[in-house]
Amino acid sequence: QKERPADHRGDMSGLSQQDHPEVVVATSGRSSCQTCGESIGKGEHRVGMVGRSSGVSCMKWMHPQCFALNMRIEYAPTGRARCNADRDGALIGKGEPRLLMRMMKTSCGGEVVAKAQQIYKPANAAALLTRYLSVEGVSVTAATIGGLDELEAEHRQWAVDALEGR
């Protein structure tokens, strides 16, 4: 039996769930936002996250504003997750603030569920976050990301400073 390479990802798409979301200009008008369902026009910016479809990894697209509105800061519920920007680094401790970059979708039953999610330590996400939030039409800022109001005041300020690269 042939051995698989160490970086084998389970399919031949070359995409990995660990790939950072990417901002690109749509080359056609055929894609639609995975969050709101509306069309993404040719020449418009879009944010792609790796998702799964029929057992194959593929890029799932969202409007930059929809992507930004899906981001969330929360306290880590366990100590088992690693930062997506530092896969070999330390675990994110239970109760530590973390940033979730998510692709949310409403199910047939009306429930909002995460279809793809990446977890980051706020300080490790600053450069990525700047790229996503600086796209024209995005009204979300580091200080208005969902969930910040649920953090304790000292953690809230620390998280905003870290997300802004300070």
Side-chain angles (χ1 to χ4, degrees), residues 77-155:
T78 70
R80 297 188 311 251
R82 291 192 192 279
C83 175
N84 200 62
D86 184 15
R87 299 298 301 162
D88 297 324
L91 295 171
I92 298 173
K94 182 176 182 175
E96 238 181 272
R98 65 183 192 169
L99 174 68
L100 304 177
M101 293 187 186
R102 312 176 299 173
M103 178 177 57
M104 304 300 288
K105 192 156 181 141
T106 304
S107 70
C108 296
E111 180 183 3
V112 178
V113 294
K115 299 301 282 182
Q117 174 173 282
Q118 292 185 356
I119 301 169
Y120 293 87
K121 290 183 176 181
N124 292 348
L128 287 170
L129 194 65
T130 299
R131 186 174 342 144
Y132 305 135
L133 300 184
S134 66
V135 175
E136 186 178 330
V138 174
S139 62
V140 175
T141 67
T144 61
I145 289 176
L148 275 169
D149 55 339
E150 297 169 24
L151 298 183
E152 295 175 18
E154 66 198 46
H155 292 151

Side-chain angles (χ1 to χ4, degrees), residues 21 35 47 49 62-71 101-103 132:
T35 296
V47 178
M49 284 187 81
M62 291 168 279
H63 292 110
Q65 177 70 1
C66 292
F67 175 74
L69 290 170
N70 285 336
M71 285 191 240
M101 293 187 186
R102 312 176 299 173
M103 178 177 57
Y132 305 135

Side-chain angles (χ1 to χ4, degrees), residues 47-58:
V47 178
M49 284 187 81
V50 176
R52 302 283 289 174
S53 180
S54 301
V56 177
S57 293
C58 60

